[in-house]
Amino acid sequence: MKKVLVTGATGFIGSYVVVELLKRGIHVIASSSNKEKASQKDWFPQVEFIELNFREVDDAVNYYSYFKIGRAHV
C-alpha cells in the first residue's frame, strides 16, 4: 500500500489533498500543528495523525523516524 505524508493537513489545500488521497485508497499520514482542528475534520478517523509544528523543527531529530516512514531510495 502506498503511504503519503501530508504536512499542513488542516490547511485549505492540505485538507483537500487528504480527502483525494483517501479516495484513492492511499494510507495517509496527516500532520499539522493543531490536533484539535484536525480532529474536527471528517477524514481524521481515517488517517494516521502526527502533530508537528514546523516552526519548532529540530535538526537533531530524524523526521523519517518521527513520521514512521522509510527513507526513499534515490
Side-chain angles (χ1 to χ4, degrees):
M1 173 183 279
K2 292 182 181 182
K3 185 187 292 189
V4 174
L5 168 63
V6 178
T7 60
T10 58
F12 181 77
I13 294 171
S15 195
Y16 282 102
V17 169
V18 170
V19 170
E20 289 304 314
L21 291 169
L22 290 171
K23 285 180 185 178
R24 289 165 172 74
I26 295 173
H27 177 91
V28 175
I29 302 170
S31 183
S32 170
S33 63
N34 189 335
K35 186 172 184 176
E36 183 178 330
K37 184 176 178 181
S39 69
Q40 296 172 3
K41 300 289 185 179
D42 292 339
W43 49 253
F44 188 77
Q46 301 169 61
V47 304
E48 180 179 349
F49 183 81
I50 301 175
E51 189 171 18
L52 178 69
N53 183 340
F54 277 97
R55 292 186 176 133
E56 299 171 2
V57 169
D58 182 349
D59 290 340
V61 174
N62 178 335
Y63 287 101
Y64 289 105
S65 295
Y66 183 84
F67 286 112
K68 305 174 195 162
I69 55 176
R71 180 171 253 158
H73 298 291
V74 180

